[in-house]
Amino acid sequence: MLTPSILLQAYKLMMTAKSMSETYDANRAVCKYVHSTSRGHEAIQLATGLQLLPCDWVSPYYRDDSLMLSIGFAPYELMLQLLAKKEDPFSGGRSYYCHPSSKDESRPSIIHQSSATGMQAIPTTGLAQGVQFLERSLQHKVRKSVDGKSPVVLCSLGDGCMSEGEVSEALQFATLKQLPIVYLVQDNQWSISATADEIRTMNAYEYACGFKGLKRMQVDGSDFMRCYETMEQAVNYARTERKPVLVHAKVPLLGHHTSGVRKEFYRSREDLLKHGLYDPIPKLRLLLNGVGYTESEINQVETDALELVLNDFKKAQASAEPDIRSVEEYVFVPTPVREEKGQRVPKAGERVMMVDAALHAIDELMDAHPEAIVYGQDVGARMGGVFRETATLAEKYGENRVFNTAIQEAYIIGSTVGLSAMGVKPIVEIQFGDYIYPGLNQLVTEVSKSCYLSNGKFPVQMLLRVPVGAYGGGGPYHSGSIESTLLSIKGIKVVYPSNAADMKGLMKAAFLDPNPVVMLEHKGLYWSKVPGTEDARTVEPAKDYILPLGKANVVVHAEIEKIRKGETVCVITYGMGVYWAKAAAERYPGQIEVLDLRTLFPLDEETIFNSVKRHGKVLVLSEEQQNNSFAEALSLRISNDCYHFLDAKVEVMGAKNLPAVPINVALETAMLPTATKVAERISKLLAY
């Protein structure tokens, strides 16, 4: 219920936000990092934040400093991030102003926030997905308010991002699953320098009509009283009905787009005057007069706000700069899996295919971890994955834990950010490596940066399974190798097993790792149907077997005497390359060492370099197209570290540099390495 004291509190915060904006603009030399403020948006932001409870989750966007004030953050805390200071509570000086992250239990929680407009919609919807899952499956893990109220999730957005496809994916999932989330869309009629008329045919309220089951509301975002009433209804709806709602608030833009893109660059005097008519501050001041506050009392609020801001700004300026030695911290958080454990080859064990080893690993993990869930395209009941890699899991664990999604690669990947923050452990799948690209935005922008830019508060515990590789005419959109693309992304780990035992052990380690792990699974090895890949079937390790990431394995050993004579070559490879190398090695008995990397990042450089130094001749073998590949990068690393031990330049072999794998099997074979091609390259190395 709106009371005079709430109105006065809102005015204090409104004047605080205004003073902050003016102080920053008056000190441009000090506020040198790009920033944006909420000037003009204050009413809707404050009305929203005042509805939220400590058990809730909120994702502000980069203009939401008024929202941050309303949920309890002091100007000083926000200014530490503005000035990129060491004590910045959100990112430790790593991210922009109003890009918060918080686990403070006295205030609503905030996952890492990025600058990419609209990209927060998917991770934040993942939070709501996590809330719903916990409520339905693990009620004791849902944090409620002190008086027993259920949590809600709030996602704040600018209207300009509503045209992003990933916002649509989020709305679609939230509506389909009826998640407890409020989407607040602040519409100031501008997308940097583009006007609403230039870029859209409808506003967010009209757009939301297309999502059946999404409650819609709209409000004058400059009128605090109307905003408070509207947001009270919206938040209560999500809190009690546990359903999604979108609020469209039309607001003026009274400040700059950012400090670097100033309003005078692109806005006319007429436009600025028009927006100025809707300034929320005079409106709220009149309301305070109307409920009995005197001019003196209101003036004192303004004076106190300015004094607070100036004092906090002075303190923030004096705060320490980050220690440059901290720059490499929090790319990852430590994993508990550090050594190989359990029985790799049980006495009574049976040989299994790789696909079954993966299935059994996930079954065992889900049985032991009720917070584990599996989702992706066609992984649920009826099919259990197009490769049967999740067969029977939906029937065993129910559709709340194993389910199909729409064709939404971005949502599949990005939602894991929110789920992980809620304590859920998602195992998700992209159906083919060639189709990961629509999800790369989320993998790069949200997943990989979350731990680093939140200063370690929000690592993303997720396991992403991706079938890859060519065999037998899969064609140009079902045969791709994507490891170099993934390895260019910092902040994720990449695993690539070549046999069933490694698959199971690495799957367990990847799941238990608190960081994001992508597991590349070669389709040609799943069932060992490709001639020469029978060894991909192994005795299935015991349930307790775990193989840590970052440990390479010698799968073919050279003879010591031939090593001593300099008559050997080491082949460094992974995936299908292991089997090409093993077949080639049979032509040179005792002269070849084959090193299976197993994990591409973290990379076992110690084992690699030791192998190179033993042999002096090296072939790095990959299925990927060779130019600009991981294999070429690794060859340079080897050359730099092992230069004095090399008897010949490091050789690299990959696929031909074509844009796709042809569907015709003869053309496919012509493109890819083969055992014969590998043997020919080894022969040249041995001739040195």
Side-chain angles (χ1 to χ4, degrees):
M1 178 179 172
L2 191 56
T3 63
S5 62
I6 292 176
L7 292 175
L8 187 63
Q9 180 188 8
Y11 193 71
K12 288 178 180 178
L13 296 174
M14 202 174 281
M15 292 309 302
T16 301
K18 179 176 183 288
S19 297
M20 289 161 60
S21 179
E22 291 172 347
T23 300
Y24 302 163
D25 216 32
N27 292 272
R28 290 173 64 184
V30 176
C31 305
K32 58 185 177 182
Y33 302 111
V34 67
H35 59 271
S36 185
T37 67
S38 57
R39 192 68 188 92
H41 292 231
E42 298 97 337
I44 186 62
Q45 291 183 21
L46 296 173
T48 299
L50 292 173
Q51 312 292 334
L52 300 179
L53 304 174
C55 64
D56 295 331
W57 292 77
V58 57
S59 286
Y61 88 119
Y62 56 80
R63 198 183 297 284
D64 276 355
D65 55 5
S66 286
L67 177 57
M68 294 296 292
L69 292 172
S70 68
I71 62 175
F73 287 92
Y76 175 66
E77 294 174 284
L78 304 184
M79 291 168 181
L80 288 171
Q81 187 170 52
L82 171 81
L83 302 178
K85 295 293 188 173
K86 176 182 179 180
E87 298 303 321
D88 158 24
F90 310 126
S91 69
R94 294 173 177 180
S95 200
Y96 309 91
Y97 180 64
C98 207
H99 286 61
S101 57
S102 176
K103 298 180 79 171
D104 183 344
E105 293 192 355
S106 68
R107 302 181 270 211
S109 299
I110 309 170
I111 55 174
H112 154 70
Q113 300 299 303
S114 73
S115 291
T117 55
M119 295 307 100
Q120 74 271 34
I122 286 177
T124 309
T125 305
L127 283 170
Q129 182 185 348
V131 169
Q132 185 184 80
F133 171 75
L134 294 178
E135 287 178 339
R136 292 180 176 179
S137 300
L138 301 167
Q139 294 182 8
H140 63 285
K141 289 200 172 186
V142 180
R143 181 174 172 237
K144 296 189 175 184
S145 68
V146 291
D147 56 354
K149 292 180 179 177
S150 297
V152 299
V153 176
L154 186 129
C155 181
S156 179
L157 302 157
D159 188 80
C161 77
M162 294 301 292
S163 55
E164 289 278 7
E166 293 182 25
V167 174
S168 173
E169 289 192 23
L171 294 175
Q172 180 86 317
F173 193 93
T175 307
L176 176 69
K177 301 294 184 179
Q178 290 292 281
L179 302 180
I181 185 169
V182 178
Y183 297 99
L184 169 62
V185 183
Q186 300 173 56
D187 183 1
N188 61 30
Q189 307 291 294
W190 285 97
S191 291
I192 309 185
S193 68
T195 65
D197 291 340
E198 290 179 82
I199 61 172
R200 72 187 193 203
T201 60
M202 67 190 82
N203 65 34
Y205 178 80
E206 295 160 335
Y207 179 63
C209 184
F211 295 89
K212 186 178 180 181
L214 176 63
K215 183 178 177 66
R216 299 180 300 148
M217 305 177 75
Q218 59 182 344
V219 67
D220 176 355
S222 67
D223 184 328
F224 178 79
M225 186 171 70
R226 298 287 176 245
C227 288
Y228 191 91
E229 293 169 347
T230 300
M231 293 311 300
E232 185 176 41
Q233 292 176 36
V235 171
N236 285 341
Y237 175 80
R239 199 180 301 283
T240 57
E241 298 297 321
R242 316 308 285 152
K243 294 179 179 179
V245 55
L246 181 143
V247 178
H248 171 252
K250 188 174 179 180
V251 294
L253 178 60
L254 303 181
H256 308 289
H257 169 68
T258 67
S259 57
V261 183
R262 303 179 67 78
K263 57 189 177 184
E264 57 266 24
F265 293 176
Y266 61 95
R267 296 178 68 184
S268 67
R269 181 174 179 274
E270 290 74 21
D271 176 71
L272 291 168
L273 288 172
K274 176 183 168 184
H275 279 247
L277 295 174
Y278 296 91
D279 189 336
I281 292 177
K283 290 185 176 184
L284 185 51
R285 185 181 177 109
L286 284 173
L287 194 55
L288 289 174
N289 290 143
V291 296
Y293 287 103
T294 66
E295 285 295 309
S296 176
E297 289 174 317
I298 297 171
N299 290 339
Q300 189 60 49
V301 166
E302 296 177 358
T303 300
D304 291 345
L306 179 58
E307 183 178 353
L308 171 65
V309 168
L310 293 178
N311 286 338
D312 279 7
F313 189 65
K314 185 176 179 180
K315 280 172 53 184
Q317 287 183 76
S319 183
E321 296 291 320
D323 185 339
I324 60 173
R325 292 172 296 182
S326 70
V327 70
E328 293 185 275
E329 293 177 357
Y330 301 121
V331 177
F332 299 107
V333 292
T335 175
V337 181
R338 298 180 177 275
E339 58 185 33
E340 190 171 2
K341 292 181 180 179
Q343 290 183 290
R344 182 179 173 94
V345 188
K347 290 182 180 178
E350 297 182 358
R351 293 184 75 210
V352 295
M353 297 180 293
M354 277 184 67
V355 70
D356 289 332
L359 173 62
H360 298 164
I362 293 177
D363 188 5
E364 292 165 4
L365 287 167
M366 295 192 73
D367 184 60
H369 298 273
E371 69 276 22
I373 64 174
V374 173
Y375 60 97
Q377 297 166 34
D378 300 306
V379 302
R382 292 187 295 276
M383 182 168 284
V386 294
F387 300 102
R388 306 294 289 161
E389 69 279 9
T390 55
T392 73
L393 294 180
E395 290 82 359
K396 185 172 184 178
Y397 295 103
E399 64 180 16
N400 198 39
R401 294 186 65 193
V402 182
F403 56 90
N404 293 326
T405 66
I407 302 173
Q408 293 182 329
E409 288 84 3
Y411 189 86
I412 291 167
I413 293 173
S415 57
T416 65
V417 176
L419 285 160
S420 177
M422 292 299 303
V424 183
K425 293 181 169 60
I427 302 171
V428 297
E429 180 180 311
I430 298 299
Q431 205 161 72
F432 292 93
D434 302 89
Y435 299 141
I436 198 171
Y437 298 100
L440 277 188
N441 198 357
Q442 288 292 319
L443 192 62
V444 174
T445 304
E446 308 297 334
V447 174
S448 71
K449 293 178 173 61
S450 180
C451 186
Y452 186 70
L453 293 182
S454 69
N455 230 20
K457 292 190 292 295
F458 288 104
V460 180
Q461 182 168 12
M462 64 90 96
L463 172 55
L464 172 59
R465 300 181 63 187
V466 188
V468 295
Y471 80 103
Y477 291 100
H478 298 80
S479 306
S481 294
I482 58 171
E483 54 265 32
S484 292
T485 298
L486 294 175
L487 291 166
S488 69
I489 305 168
K490 313 310 172 191
I492 64 172
K493 300 182 180 182
V494 181
V495 179
Y496 203 142
S498 69
N499 60 71
D502 288 350
M503 172 75 91
K504 188 170 185 180
L506 290 169
M507 187 79 75
K508 296 284 184 78
F511 175 85
L512 295 171
D513 197 310
N515 304 288
V517 182
V518 181
M519 178 163 281
L520 302 178
E521 305 174 14
H522 200 292
K523 305 186 303 296
L525 301 178
Y526 263 158
W527 300 291
S528 296
K529 287 184 176 179
V530 176
T533 63
E534 293 78 11
D535 288 348
R537 296 180 64 217
T538 68
V539 171
E540 182 174 1
K543 182 184 291 188
D544 64 350
Y545 180 65
I546 300 177
L547 177 62
L549 310 188
K551 300 292 182 183
N553 184 39
V554 178
V555 295
V556 175
H557 293 266
E559 294 176 7
I560 294 176
E561 182 61 22
K562 292 186 177 181
I563 295 173
R564 189 183 65 80
K565 292 180 178 179
E567 298 175 348
T568 58
V569 170
C570 67
V571 181
I572 299 168
T573 189
Y574 54 93
M576 187 62 78
V578 171
Y579 297 94
W580 293 327
K582 288 173 73 172
E586 293 176 1
R587 306 187 189 190
Y588 308 98
Q591 292 185 273
I592 309 301
E593 176 173 299
V594 179
L595 182 65
D596 182 358
L597 295 176
R598 303 198 289 200
T599 302
L600 307 186
F601 190 89
L603 189 63
D604 188 354
E605 290 188 345
E606 180 181 3
T607 299
I608 292 169
F609 295 158
N610 286 339
S611 180
V612 171
K613 291 171 184 177
R614 271 197 306 276
H615 301 281
K617 303 184 186 76
V618 189
L619 172 61
V620 181
L621 174 61
S622 168
E623 181 174 331
E624 268 197 306
Q625 293 93 324
Q626 183 173 322
N627 278 11
N628 306 313
S629 65
F630 160 70
E632 287 197 332
L634 178 56
S635 72
L636 177 62
R637 213 177 307 178
I638 291 169
S639 296
N640 289 342
D641 195 272
C642 306
Y643 177 77
H644 295 292
F645 297 87
L646 292 172
D647 299 322
K649 74 177 183 70
V650 179
E651 290 287 325
V652 180
M653 175 177 279
K656 292 184 182 299
N657 299 301
L658 305 175
V661 180
I663 195 168
N664 179 277
V665 289
L667 295 177
E668 177 188 274
T669 301
M671 177 185 179
L672 299 176
T674 63
T676 299
K677 295 174 186 176
V678 173
E680 290 171 356
R681 187 69 65 90
I682 288 173
S683 176
K684 293 178 181 178
L685 273 170
L686 287 172
Y688 280 98

